[in-house]
Amino acid sequence: MSPLISTSLDPCARRPARLGARFFTWICGLGLTSAGCYQGAPPPPSPAAETTDSTSTGPESEAEADSGGSSTGTPEVDDAAPFELPTDQVQLLPFPARMANLAAVAHVRTDHPMFEKAYELRILLGQHDYSQIAGPDSAWTADRVQNWVRAISPVCASLEVHTAYPDLVQDPRALMRTAFGREPTDAEVEALGQLTAAAADEQEAFRWSCLAVLSSLEFVAF
Amino acid sequence: MKRRTTSILAPPRRRSFLKTVAGLLCVPAVPLIARYRILDELTGTAHAEDLLAQEPTYFVELNLRDQFDFMHAFVPPGIATYDGLRRGDRGNRCVLFHDASALTQHRGNVFLTPDSQALVPHLDQIAVMELNEVCNGEIHGHEAAGPVRSPGRQKTQTAGKAAMWTSEPGYQFQGNDHHYSSTPTPASLHNRLQKELTPGVRNGVAMKFISRNHHVCHFGAGDARAELDRIQTRDTLFQRFPDTVQDLNALGSAEEAALLTRAIRRVDDDFFDRYGLSQAARTHHEATLDEAVGRLYSADNNKVVSLPLTPEEVEYWSTGVPDQVGSAIKAQIWEALAWTEKLLTHGLTRSVAIDWDYLDVHDTRGPEVLSTMAQQFAIPLARLIQRLKDAGIYEQTVIAVFSADGGRAPAANSYGNTGKNSLVLCGKNVRGGYYGDVGVAGPDGDGHRYDYHVPDPQTGVLRPPVTNNDRLEGAYAWRTVMKALGTPDSTLEAYPDVAGFHALDFMLTS
């Protein structure tokens, strides 16, 4: 066991454990800062006047070919704005984050049976599975909308959600407040009002309201 | 003058009658020539052509990484006929391991090896052109984009060009690179066009079955309707197309779907300004919700076909096909093509892309490598073509096979940023043959220098040979694929990096 990490519960021994943990954390932070989160992956080049691409001939380096080594020709990084969030496309929250948020909205644990369909469809919903070389997929596509609504339908039909938001149809603010983490705007509330006005009955109105809130970008994306 | 049958009908009845006839004639079992003759009898030649242009087409885009070499599938004539070829698995020796007596010559300058004989019955509609623009990935050419699949793609972002990789799940730079483009990749564009032609047709899929963490970019050029559904595992393919009568409809009616998406759209309205997303993101999202209406409820959602293969189907598709090399196998190539056949012939979708690979081989490439590649490519392809012919839809289908991140030169130690970059085109409107050539320029150490005879894009006549990387711009091959599909030029001219180029008409019949 590493001398830097001690699991002893002895108060005197815990001081070395805290120091060891603190040192370990510092080392990790230093490592992450220097290596970056994407080893071997330079950031995309910033827009430039250059429009021609050079075509290399022959192998760049055999060592680079299949290893995890970094590529050559790292573009310059603007120190004033080194990190840019993608703005051209909606990005879904990671699947575990969406599940955690669903559980928080429904006031249940993430392993509640109401989420069975969601876990069944998890890969279609963007969850990764590296054992099958399936990477995380953050695209909000029509296919994903379809499967997300299928996944959350049992959530919206659950006793727990009906109990937590008994006045959802009359006033959706409670659900929206919990789901969005902020006070909903009048326009958002009115959008739901127009939806529920077309419903055949209270049950349908409740289901539609719940589906609309939990399928909105404010809930599923960032 | 022969009076057209429909001219005796009043215009409203004539229009209704023609629509009905056109719909009936779209049944796959009716051969194309019969459809043309019937329509010609009813409407006259010009109208027959217009109606047929509205027919659905099917497209299979098979993308083979890493720097797939078709040498044992289609031998370039200059190599096949060279006397004194120095063969070998290393250095500059040529990686053709069948000697001349084992090759078979066919019409159109096609030379096959024993590994690719399965293609013989279908050669009249298989065109090969390997002298396309080479790839420019940082690691000796490896890239996920490709100049043939997205002409004009580049490594820097300029006006009108978007990142090509953002919709590929788990994308990493290593071996894939970052490219920007304004030209959609073929299957993505076909997907959008088919959905415009036939509202309600199901979205196309991209089977991402490469065994390594390498990718092929499928790029809609900013149009959400073009985006293929990425299928990363066989289980998700089966979930996407279940073999039991499951209710895939998330909602109970089309009206409910429209109401819900309208409400979501209104709730989402402020999201883009609040979080600084671009207008492009808003437009993309609105198109996504538009399409979602047809997904949340559709009668077609419950169309059932059994995708998992029966033992008989496994026997048919797999016999003689070597397994995929590598450790992280998602699916064999014959499985992917078998599933594709089912998806197309059962009308579950019209656009299928398959990303697949033979591992990246360096320095030495022996006979087992080249034979395996050829058999993995040729045998399942021949079976797919036969199945499509049996189903009566081959004349409406184009299959385009790309060496997605470049090919190889004939030398054993070659890489994919030099040599060939291959397109194999099959099916509708395709004129069979091997176009262009690769030959021996002279001795080089224990092997040869090789030269490349690029075809003139207008006539197909071979230009003087070159030993450098001068090749045909990728836009020519791209337009050839799209023209084979019957895509109007007016649609293609909208993309600036292919505007002004034309199809390689010598590879097509019309």
Side-chain angles (χ1 to χ4, degrees):
Chain A
M1 183 181 293
S2 165
L4 295 177
I5 302 173
S6 168
T7 57
S8 171
L9 295 178
D10 185 316
C12 295
R14 247 182 277 150
R15 192 172 302 131
R18 283 203 298 274
L19 283 175
R22 200 176 300 158
F23 180 68
F24 182 71
T25 304
W26 180 81
I27 286 291
C28 288
L30 180 64
L32 284 171
T33 304
S34 60
C37 294
Y38 300 96
Q39 290 244 349
S46 52
E50 180 186 352
T51 57
T52 58
D53 298 324
S54 62
T55 301
S56 60
T57 58
E60 290 289 340
S61 162
E62 279 193 37
E64 289 174 359
D66 289 296
S67 70
S70 61
S71 56
T72 58
T74 305
E76 291 183 10
V77 175
D78 180 358
D79 288 336
F83 180 76
E84 282 186 35
L85 284 170
T87 58
D88 286 344
Q89 216 167 329
V90 168
Q91 300 281 318
L92 283 179
L93 287 167
F95 179 78
R98 280 177 273 150
M99 293 310 298
N101 290 346
L102 271 180
V105 163
H107 304 308
V108 298
R109 291 159 49 108
T110 53
D111 59 357
H112 192 281
M114 72 171 69
F115 302 130
E116 184 178 340
K117 178 59 77 175
Y119 287 119
E120 176 190 328
L121 300 176
R122 65 191 182 282
I123 306 293
L124 283 175
L125 293 175
Q127 169 66 309
H128 66 273
D129 183 349
Y130 291 122
S131 71
Q132 300 187 67
I133 317 183
D137 192 346
S138 62
W140 191 224
T141 63
D143 186 67
R144 205 144 280 136
V145 172
Q146 173 196 4
N147 286 299
W148 179 253
V149 172
R150 289 177 67 205
I152 64 173
S153 289
V155 176
C156 292
S158 70
L159 177 63
E160 287 83 353
V161 169
H162 277 77
T163 303
Y165 309 100
D167 303 320
L168 175 59
V169 176
Q170 292 75 28
D171 185 0
R173 289 175 211 273
L175 174 61
M176 295 174 107
R177 197 175 294 122
T178 307
F180 296 171
R182 58 167 175 81
E183 198 63 28
T185 65
D186 291 341
E188 288 167 338
V189 174
E190 187 186 339
L192 285 194
Q194 293 176 350
L195 173 65
T196 55
D201 53 39
E202 179 90 359
Q203 189 176 6
E204 188 170 75
F206 187 100
R207 183 167 64 89
W208 287 1
S209 297
C210 178
L211 291 176
V213 171
L214 300 184
S215 303
S216 66
L217 292 180
E218 194 69 59
F219 185 72
V220 300
F222 67 93
Chain B
M1 187 173 87
K2 186 178 178 182
R3 191 178 186 195
R4 295 300 167 199
T5 308
T6 54
S7 64
I8 63 175
L9 297 175
R13 284 201 65 195
R14 184 161 66 232
R15 279 196 293 275
S16 173
F17 175 72
L18 286 174
K19 279 178 66 176
T20 303
V21 170
L24 290 172
L25 292 179
C26 282
V27 173
V30 180
L32 181 66
I33 186 66
R35 277 177 268 177
Y36 188 91
R37 287 184 176 156
I38 292 169
L39 288 172
D40 180 54
E41 172 62 30
L42 293 174
T43 68
T45 302
H47 285 133
E49 287 174 348
D50 287 343
L51 284 171
L52 285 173
Q54 299 302 310
E55 276 199 338
T57 57
Y58 304 92
F59 184 53
V60 180
E61 181 186 307
L62 177 56
N63 300 301
L64 298 175
R65 287 196 63 162
D66 284 309
Q67 298 172 345
F68 212 86
D69 191 343
F70 293 94
M71 177 64 79
H72 271 214
F74 301 101
V75 186
I79 299 291
T81 57
Y82 187 79
D83 191 23
L85 193 66
R86 297 173 183 176
R87 309 165 199 272
D89 65 355
R90 59 198 69 219
N92 292 323
R93 292 175 179 254
C94 183
V95 290
L96 173 62
F97 297 98
H98 296 288
D99 66 27
S101 63
L103 306 184
T104 57
Q105 185 175 1
H106 306 268
R107 195 167 61 177
N109 259 344
V110 174
F111 288 84
L112 303 185
T113 75
D115 299 319
S116 55
Q117 290 298 306
L119 294 172
V120 169
H122 313 295
L123 288 177
D124 58 327
Q125 284 179 279
I126 298 178
V128 185
M129 214 289 276
E130 303 196 274
L131 285 309
N132 298 294
E133 185 177 343
V134 297
C135 291
N136 68 1
E138 285 206 9
I139 300 175
H140 52 76
H142 287 293
E143 59 170 288
V148 178
R149 296 179 59 253
S150 186
R153 87 308 166 231
Q154 60 188 47
K155 294 183 179 181
T156 52
Q157 186 169 25
T158 53
K161 293 189 188 285
M164 293 186 68
W165 69 90
T166 56
S167 295
E168 306 309 327
Y171 194 89
Q172 293 182 9
F173 182 89
Q174 178 85 23
N176 299 306
D177 280 25
H178 288 143
H179 284 90
Y180 303 85
S181 183
S182 58
T183 310
T185 50
S188 300
L189 178 57
H190 180 262
N191 184 41
R192 188 204 100 201
L193 294 175
Q194 287 303 302
K195 291 191 296 184
E196 285 178 359
L197 178 68
T198 313
V201 75
R202 289 188 73 175
N203 202 43
V205 298
M207 299 186 199
K208 302 191 72 66
F209 290 161
I210 291 175
S211 66
R212 312 170 71 196
N213 203 355
H214 280 171
H215 283 269
V216 172
C217 289
H218 297 280
F219 181 59
D223 192 331
R225 297 167 300 164
E227 289 296 340
L228 302 167
D229 290 333
R230 273 69 169 171
I231 304 290
Q232 296 193 72
T233 69
R234 70 172 65 208
D235 289 341
T236 49
L237 179 67
F238 297 160
Q239 276 187 332
R240 179 75 169 69
F241 300 100
D243 65 350
T244 56
V245 181
Q246 285 183 22
D247 192 358
L248 288 176
N249 288 322
L251 299 173
S253 68
E255 292 72 28
E256 191 177 351
L259 282 168
L260 182 66
T261 53
R262 193 177 310 138
I264 294 173
R265 196 190 306 270
R266 289 187 182 133
V267 173
D268 290 345
D269 192 50
D270 283 342
F271 182 87
F272 302 90
D273 292 335
R274 182 178 302 124
Y275 296 108
L277 291 171
S278 67
Q279 179 61 36
R282 180 190 292 272
T283 304
H284 195 280
H285 179 60
E286 287 175 356
T288 295
L289 289 180
D290 287 341
E291 182 150 337
V293 174
R295 307 286 203 101
L296 290 166
Y297 179 84
S298 169
D300 283 345
N301 271 346
N302 292 328
K303 194 183 293 187
V304 167
V305 66
S306 181
L307 280 188
L309 303 180
T310 65
E312 292 75 24
E313 289 169 334
V314 170
E315 176 77 17
Y316 171 78
W317 286 98
S318 69
T319 301
V321 183
D323 283 346
Q324 188 172 22
V325 179
S327 57
I329 309 299
K330 291 189 174 189
Q332 301 298 337
I333 190 169
W334 54 263
E335 289 181 298
L337 292 183
W339 294 325
T340 298
E341 182 260 331
K342 291 193 178 199
L343 292 175
L344 297 183
T345 59
H346 287 82
L348 290 179
T349 189
R350 295 182 189 167
S351 311
V352 178
I354 302 163
D355 306 338
W356 203 80
D357 69 327
Y358 186 97
L359 290 185
D360 195 18
V361 185
H362 297 290
D363 298 328
T364 60
R365 294 189 295 145
E368 70 287 348
V369 173
L370 276 298
S371 287
T372 297
M373 282 190 189
Q375 292 166 15
Q376 287 175 336
F377 155 75
I379 298 173
L381 175 64
R383 289 170 181 162
L384 174 64
I385 292 173
Q386 188 58 54
R387 281 294 180 100
L388 296 175
K389 286 180 175 177
D390 293 343
I393 63 169
Y394 187 58
E395 294 302 323
Q396 295 166 258
T397 302
V398 172
I399 303 169
V401 185
F402 298 94
S403 58
D405 55 343
R408 304 275 178 153
N413 67 353
S414 62
Y415 289 77
N417 51 6
T418 184
K420 303 175 287 182
N421 189 6
S422 308
L423 166 66
V424 179
L425 197 60
C426 318
K428 177 181 166 76
N429 293 327
V430 176
R431 186 194 309 274
Y434 189 96
Y435 302 95
D437 201 0
V438 181
V440 175
D444 188 353
D446 60 349
H448 303 285
R449 281 180 299 111
Y450 302 92
D451 56 21
Y452 304 91
H453 307 248
V454 180
D456 182 276
Q458 200 71 36
T459 63
V461 172
L462 300 187
R463 291 172 171 169
V466 299
T467 54
N468 57 17
N469 279 335
D470 286 346
R471 304 286 185 271
L472 274 188
E473 289 92 334
Y476 288 110
W478 189 91
R479 291 207 62 152
T480 307
V481 173
M482 301 316 299
K483 186 171 181 179
L485 283 163
T487 313
D489 281 341
S490 56
T491 301
L492 305 181
E493 287 290 310
Y495 302 106
D497 289 312
V498 297
F501 288 86
H502 56 81
L504 301 174
D505 289 326
F506 51 83
M507 292 174 65
L508 303 175
T509 56
S510 62

